[in-house]
Amino acid sequence: MNVAEKPVITAESLIGQRIQKKDAPEKAAGKTRYIQDMIVPGMLHAKILRSARVHARIKSIDTSAAKALPGVHVVLTAADVPDQQPIGVARDHLPLKGERVRSLRDEIAAVAADSDEIAEAALKLIRVEYEDLPVIATPEDAIKPGAPLIHPAPLDAHGRPKSLPPKTPIAFAGKPDNIAMRFDYTHGDIAQAEAESDVVVEDSFQLHYVTHCCMGVSGVIAEFDASGNLLMYSNTQVPFLHKREFAEYLNIDPSRVRIIQPPIGGGFGSKLDIYPFEVICIFLARAAKRPVKMVFTREEEFLASPTRQPVLLTLRSGCKKDGTLTFRQVHTLHDNGAYTSWGATTPFVMMQTFSSLYRVPACDYHTTVVYTNNPYAGSFRGYGNLQATFAIEQHMDMLAEKIGMDALDFRLKNAQDAGEVTGQGMTFKSCGFKECLTTAAERSDYRKKHADNIANRNARGPVKRGIGIASMLHVGGGAKIYPSDGCGTILKLDDFANITLITGASEIGQGSETVLSQLVCEELGLPISAVTVVNNDTAITPWDVGVHASRTTFIAGNSAIGAARKAKAKILAAAAKKHGCDEGALDLRGGFVVVAETGEPVVELARLMRNLHFSDKAELVMTTFYYEPPSVHQDKAFKGDVSAAYAWAAQVVEVEVDTDTGIVKMTKVTGTHDVGRVLNRLGLEGQIEGGVVMGQGYALTENLIVENGVTRNPNFRDYKLVTAPEIPEMDITFVESMDGEGPQGAKGVGEAPAICIAAAAANAIYNATGVRMFALPFTPEAVYRALRGAAPKPHWPAWKPE
Amino acid sequence: MLLTHDIEFTLNGVKKRLTIDVTMNALDLLRDVVGLTGTKYGCGEGECGACTIRVDGETRNSCLMFAVDFDGRDIVTIEGLAADPKADALRESFVEHGAVQCGFCTPGMVMQASHILETHPDADAETIKRGLEGNLCRCTGYKKIVDAVESACCGAK
């Protein structure tokens, strides 16, 4: 079955329509039960004691008073869980810390009690004695020769490194330096490309800490049945990976772990890894032999959920006088925090941007990801791409200005086209990049406003207007990171021709239930209301690798279409046999089997289904389909076509800069996205608008302030999310490049809208004032200083990776 | 020993009499004592609006109230809006305009929006945005929420 086959779209087609979100009525009525709202009979409430020191050796922990508190059932420390295994991407992280804490969020002890209040009171009774260690607060300090090690190899009694036998509980053997990971990529001849350049620019950029701020904080309930099987209610984005990993930690077969996902109050990448609180909750439930629920407070969510990683970035870019890009050379230094989660691997995406956003003959990219005593970094919508794009898109404007070329023409000259194979081996089978650029520019009147703003820079009055453009490239057809990037679907039709769509893909608010229903109904000629989606239980749903990489519409969509087409074939064959006609001449429309050519009804689908189900040769219409995209893993040199499709966008940002106060107001965003094809226009607009405002927050207001390892603003009062009156006017349009592999031609778009807002805003501030912003966020203070030449430019340390 | 207090209040049109711990938070009373979980905990310090309820007709962040403050008051939660036909239209408008994504902020948004609808039935987009300033949403970018409320306001005229 070729899922890429496109059926003829008729007037009654569901594709491209504004389809209401299936779960919206329940949510708007306050009836949806999130993890926070769930009660399991007999459950206990759990809290975690976190480190009071940024970096310290733990000399002793006394839990006796906590254990004696009435209502406390279990108190655990690392000493109570000798079988704990390290978690995380580099397996450098024990859920409960026994000997040493490396950041303020570190988990030292956990309590399960009759209520949250009792658990909280018990935490206050736990006494911990620390011996402080030197704090490494910045990656620059971490890489200095002789810097104290954050993960030194464990020593034996004689002070020599221990040689640990394999599979010992502490499997992480430590590091000889503070470098967690390195990434190096190159294509082309940099020296030659530089020699051919007429203009070269080099700058450093500083990208800051931000965090997800899911409105529904993190939480789980862990429960064991009488046979020792684990049931987790969890708002994870990767249930199947959790299933496998939890089994590993418990040393049981994965079949004995079941993950149920209640509706999820936002994810944005924050729920992609295994976190200590989840494993600790399992330990507590195992010890208490009772279900245990743990839900973060908002402060805890700020302190102990992952962040978007801070990056110091230096970029050299060159071009010829005629506007041809020649090379990019990049070094990035990532603040990993104390442990390695997905933040460390964001260079996968960054290098894609450096190597392939625009045609660039030579690219050289080096990243060093270093441990510090800061909060550890995870994955966050856009996954490194916001940081890379911030630098590249400012350099595009700077190069254009240096050669006296219009910034839009410069981009168009270097923009990718369909058919291009990049240095990294990415193949752009569909590409609406140039159309995105021209559409966004035309709709915003970019050229005229850009020229007018420059002419008005010296006009009277403190408020200057600016307009800036930036573009982005992101995976739009999954990303082959794990052994499989696939998704399975089970489709069941009942005897009233209603559908149960059982998919591996999770709904985290993005609208996947609705778009998958739409794709299936399009195939089977049924209304959306005919579908019930089951997508929240690993005991029922087939495999899916999780909600990430803007992959769900593409991967789960193709999987759903595959299952629907198998069901359709089965139905039409049965109808043809029963009604003595050629199945090739039949189709499904409006709940009927019809003659394809005329639309004349042959039999009502519900009636046919009953005939099939209740005849003496009963046959159920139940199909399965597994879709694995035709992408490949990158090789060791990071080359390979890692996604089945690539998404493009151009966004134009307009600002007003008050030069007296430094306040930047984002007045309008004109965004054009190559989405392959619009499936659900309403949902798509919602994704783009939400992403734009998230990008606005990244650019202007959001800043997780971490000083010497201490998070200074773990609340919504001091961590500023954008509010309703601050949003810009938004003009969102779509380019339909009809991707050959995509479901009905569509590509993924979840992360795309957040990616280039900050870059476009920086270009807009420059257009307004003639001042470049090299560090985020553009707070009034930062802008005020920059306008007066008092903002220090980010400084690359006197150090190069070996 | 806990200090308790007897309170009497109207909750979604029904009289309630409860004996409660004087330190109890109003949000906890709603969620944990009477089991009305439509009102959400978002931040616990009055910054996000997820726990918005109506107290004597005015919207309040229930996380900032003590439960004893309910005494003698008329309390309406998102569940209580079920009896209000104007609120039906508002909820439908949220659904129709795509104003719901993860949905966690939605009950608080609907509560605040219903108050805007009642107090400013002819509200324009700017008034609505200002009215929703205390309600944070991380998914939608607010535009569709404002559109939904604006459309409901037009319908209410």
Side-chain angles (χ1 to χ4, degrees):
Chain A
M1 168 130 354
N2 177 13
V3 292
E5 226 172 82
K6 307 290 181 299
V8 178
I9 299 302
T10 58
E12 61 267 25
S13 167
L14 292 165
I15 303 303
Q17 302 298 317
R18 307 178 74 81
I19 309 287
Q20 294 171 6
K21 205 159 177 292
K22 284 179 80 70
D23 56 5
E26 284 285 295
K27 286 176 170 174
K31 292 187 175 192
T32 302
R33 277 192 281 273
Y34 299 85
I35 187 89
Q36 287 81 358
D37 310 321
M38 288 183 60
I39 294 170
V40 172
M43 77 181 188
L44 300 174
H45 300 259
K47 293 272 180 193
I48 288 174
L49 179 74
R50 297 181 185 280
S51 171
R53 305 296 171 86
V54 177
H55 194 194
R57 225 179 289 285
I58 297 175
K59 291 170 73 181
S60 67
I61 309 173
D62 179 1
T63 59
S64 53
K67 280 179 178 159
L69 187 72
V72 169
H73 290 253
V74 180
V75 181
L76 292 182
T77 66
D80 302 309
V81 195
D83 62 339
Q84 62 171 336
Q85 300 282 337
I87 62 170
V89 172
R91 303 288 163 123
D92 57 6
H93 191 184
L94 283 175
L96 282 165
K97 283 73 178 171
E99 293 166 6
R100 187 174 170 127
V101 285
R102 296 175 172 86
S103 72
L104 265 189
R105 51 149 298 153
D106 276 14
E107 297 78 1
I108 294 177
V111 175
D114 285 334
S115 71
D116 275 338
E117 290 74 18
I118 296 170
E120 189 76 49
L123 292 188
K124 294 191 177 124
L125 299 174
I126 298 173
R127 297 280 166 260
V128 185
E129 244 190 300
Y130 300 94
E131 179 190 322
D132 281 323
L133 293 168
V135 171
I136 296 179
T138 67
E140 292 90 323
D141 284 347
I143 51 167
K144 278 182 185 156
L149 295 183
I150 292 173
H151 287 281
L155 301 179
D156 66 15
H158 306 288
R160 292 181 301 241
K162 271 184 194 168
S163 67
L164 294 164
K167 289 245 168 197
T168 48
I170 301 167
F172 183 66
K175 284 267 181 183
D177 51 31
N178 284 323
I179 295 174
M181 283 194 182
R182 273 208 164 121
F183 295 85
D184 300 290
Y185 166 82
T186 188
H187 79 245
D189 183 335
I190 290 282
Q192 189 194 331
E194 188 166 351
E196 289 169 5
S197 305
D198 294 309
V199 170
V200 173
V201 287
E202 177 173 350
D203 293 286
S204 291
F205 300 84
Q206 181 72 58
L207 292 310
H208 65 312
Y209 264 119
V210 291
T211 189
H212 306 74
C213 300
C214 300
M215 292 311 295
V217 289
S218 303
V220 291
I221 300 173
E223 181 177 8
F224 286 89
D225 71 10
S227 310
N229 301 314
L230 171 66
L231 171 61
M232 285 288 275
Y233 296 95
S234 167
N235 47 19
T236 176
Q237 292 176 238
V238 286
F240 286 93
L241 299 180
H242 269 45
K243 185 177 154 81
R244 198 194 62 200
E245 290 203 36
F246 290 151
E248 211 174 284
Y249 303 140
L250 291 167
N251 203 18
I252 58 176
D253 189 273
S255 66
R256 296 176 58 191
V257 177
R258 179 180 185 186
I259 313 282
I260 295 179
Q261 295 168 288
I264 294 168
F268 315 112
S270 70
K271 298 173 172 86
L272 277 193
D273 204 356
I274 307 284
Y275 299 109
F277 81 95
E278 297 162 326
V279 182
I280 289 168
C281 208
I282 293 170
F283 293 152
L284 288 169
R286 183 175 65 177
K289 298 187 169 41
R290 298 259 296 261
V292 173
K293 178 175 180 176
M294 187 181 299
V295 176
F296 279 5
T297 62
R298 175 57 63 185
E299 186 181 10
E300 214 171 8
E301 182 80 7
F302 271 106
L303 295 173
S305 67
T307 67
R308 178 177 289 143
Q309 63 289 359
V311 178
L312 179 61
L313 186 158
T314 178
L315 173 65
R316 297 180 78 230
S317 319
C319 72
K320 296 181 186 174
K321 271 184 207 155
D322 68 354
T324 310
L325 274 176
T326 48
F327 77 96
R328 284 194 191 116
Q329 195 171 23
V330 199
H331 283 123
T332 59
L333 186 59
H334 290 233
D335 189 340
N336 199 41
Y339 305 100
T340 308
S341 183
W342 289 115
T345 64
T346 53
F348 273 118
V349 176
M350 297 181 84
M351 74 177 69
Q352 168 184 301
T353 308
F354 288 115
S355 74
S356 308
L357 175 59
Y358 305 102
R359 289 187 312 277
V360 59
C363 177
D364 187 29
Y365 173 72
H366 304 281
T367 289
T368 308
V369 182
V370 299
Y371 288 114
T372 65
N373 293 118
N374 290 329
Y376 69 90
S379 46
F380 190 175
R381 196 178 195 174
Y383 206 78
N385 207 349
L386 291 89
Q387 294 96 318
T389 302
F390 181 71
I392 288 181
E393 284 293 325
Q394 290 208 68
H395 264 198
M396 290 301 282
D397 266 30
M398 291 160 81
L399 289 170
E401 190 178 28
K402 281 210 163 192
I403 57 167
M405 195 168 179
D406 175 86
L408 176 62
D409 291 333
F410 184 56
R411 284 179 171 80
L412 284 167
K413 184 172 176 75
N414 292 292
Q416 301 284 8
D417 271 317
E420 185 81 22
V421 181
T422 77
Q424 236 190 313
M426 288 184 268
T427 306
F428 301 135
K429 294 180 256 324
S430 64
C431 179
F433 188 13
K434 286 181 177 167
E435 202 181 337
C436 285
L437 279 165
T438 50
T439 306
E442 276 166 26
R443 291 183 73 94
S444 61
D445 201 10
Y446 170 80
R447 286 182 203 272
K448 182 176 183 309
K449 285 182 184 169
H450 194 266
D452 289 352
N453 292 334
I454 292 172
N456 291 333
R457 268 186 202 162
N458 295 321
R460 290 179 60 174
V463 178
K464 312 291 178 195
R465 288 175 197 282
I467 190 166
I469 193 165
S471 313
M472 78 97 222
L473 152 70
H474 203 70
V475 291
K480 192 97 32 129
I481 304 296
Y482 298 95
S484 155
D485 192 27
C487 176
T489 303
I490 302 168
L491 204 65
K492 185 194 89 171
L493 268 82
D494 72 5
D495 35 296
F496 301 98
N498 289 317
I499 302 167
T500 306
L501 168 63
I502 305 169
T503 171
S506 304
E507 165 80 45
I508 62 166
Q510 84 280 38
S512 62
E513 283 181 358
T514 312
V515 90
L516 295 179
S517 301
Q518 205 181 333
L519 289 167
V520 164
C521 290
E522 184 70 12
E523 299 296 326
L524 299 179
L526 289 167
I528 290 276
S529 57
V531 185
T532 301
V533 181
V534 176
N535 61 351
N536 61 346
D537 186 341
T538 59
I540 299 167
T541 62
W543 158 263
D544 178 77
V545 80
V547 186
H548 67 254
S550 305
R551 64 184 285 281
T552 300
T553 291
F554 195 99
I555 310 285
N558 273 335
S559 176
I561 288 177
R565 287 191 184 166
K566 279 168 91 172
K568 184 174 179 176
K570 205 167 180 178
I571 292 163
L572 295 187
K577 194 172 165 196
K578 189 168 174 62
H579 295 274
C581 43
D582 176 10
E583 64 183 81
L586 297 177
D587 199 359
L588 295 175
R589 280 176 219 160
F592 285 84
V593 178
V594 298
V595 178
E597 210 163 278
T598 62
E600 184 195 336
V602 176
V603 58
E604 192 191 355
L605 184 55
R607 190 184 167 91
L608 177 72
M609 294 304 301
R610 285 194 288 277
N611 283 335
L612 278 171
H613 286 180
F614 303 136
S615 68
D616 54 356
K617 288 177 188 160
E619 193 170 0
L620 298 173
V621 178
M622 199 183 292
T623 61
T624 63
F625 192 83
Y626 183 79
Y627 174 76
E628 180 71 36
S631 48
V632 297
H633 291 276
Q634 288 176 348
D635 60 21
K636 283 185 177 160
F638 301 110
K639 299 194 180 183
D641 198 12
V642 73
S643 183
Y646 296 89
W648 303 90
Q651 288 172 320
V652 174
V653 165
E654 292 175 60
V655 298
E656 285 174 6
V657 184
D658 186 328
T659 53
D660 281 351
T661 62
I663 292 172
V664 176
K665 188 177 170 195
M666 200 173 279
T667 52
K668 187 173 178 185
V669 173
T670 307
T672 305
H673 286 256
D674 172 9
V675 298
R677 184 180 209 176
V678 178
L679 297 181
N680 181 355
R681 193 170 290 275
L682 189 68
L684 199 49
E685 285 172 0
Q687 282 289 294
I688 304 292
E689 289 162 6
V692 163
V693 173
M694 202 174 257
Q696 180 189 10
Y698 186 58
L700 300 184
T701 65
E702 293 181 40
N703 188 11
L704 194 71
I705 301 166
V706 181
E707 289 172 351
N708 289 321
V710 183
T711 303
R712 296 290 185 195
N713 57 342
N715 56 68
F716 283 137
R717 190 176 53 250
D718 301 315
Y719 184 95
K720 302 286 186 192
L721 291 187
V722 172
T723 61
E726 296 165 309
I727 63 167
E729 180 188 345
M730 287 183 255
D731 175 18
I732 309 298
T733 49
F734 304 112
V735 168
E736 298 192 296
S737 60
M738 293 298 295
D739 189 83
E741 183 66 25
Q744 295 279 1
K747 299 196 260 199
V749 74
E751 294 165 281
I755 289 169
C756 47
I757 295 291
N763 286 337
I765 292 171
Y766 181 78
N767 179 236
T769 65
V771 173
R772 279 259 154 234
M773 300 298 295
F774 295 97
L776 281 167
F778 310 141
T779 59
E781 182 184 337
V783 174
Y784 184 92
R785 285 181 191 276
L787 291 176
R788 283 151 186 81
K793 258 195 88 174
H795 174 68
W796 186 260
W799 164 87
K800 293 262 182 202
E802 288 147 27
Chain B
M1 194 179 137
L2 291 176
L3 194 56
T4 60
H5 191 74
D6 295 334
I7 58 170
E8 201 174 316
F9 61 104
T10 307
L11 179 59
N12 298 330
V14 179
K15 287 260 185 242
K16 285 265 174 198
R17 203 175 296 167
L18 292 173
T19 303
I20 54 156
D21 171 1
V22 290
T23 63
M24 179 177 275
N25 180 278
L27 176 60
D28 292 341
L29 180 146
L30 292 173
R31 291 180 52 81
D32 301 339
V33 179
V34 295
L36 296 180
T37 55
T39 308
K40 302 299 178 195
Y41 165 90
C43 69
E45 47 194 27
E47 294 290 336
C48 78
C51 66
T52 303
I53 58 168
R54 216 181 288 171
V55 179
D56 288 343
E58 293 296 322
T59 49
R60 297 278 297 268
N61 288 313
S62 57
C63 73
L64 291 185
M65 292 182 74
F66 282 112
V68 288
D69 288 342
F70 278 2
D71 197 23
R73 304 285 187 90
D74 180 41
I75 309 295
V76 179
T77 68
I78 185 75
E79 290 87 354
L81 284 197
D84 178 353
K86 267 192 290 181
D88 278 346
L90 184 64
R91 279 193 301 266
E92 275 165 28
S93 190
F94 266 64
V95 175
E96 187 190 325
H97 285 86
V100 181
Q101 288 187 23
C102 90
F104 203 86
C105 73
T106 310
M109 284 283 181
V110 170
M111 288 303 292
Q112 188 61 26
S114 76
H115 185 251
I116 296 170
L117 197 63
E118 231 163 64
T119 52
H120 297 83
D122 54 353
D124 61 6
E126 286 312 306
T127 310
I128 292 163
K129 283 180 191 171
R130 279 201 304 279
L132 295 175
E133 191 170 11
N135 292 70
L136 297 178
C137 170
R138 191 54 155 166
C139 301
T140 64
Y142 303 105
K143 182 173 183 292
K144 297 214 177 299
I145 297 174
V146 175
D147 289 349
V149 183
E150 199 175 5
S151 166
C153 282
C154 290
K157 271 180 206 170

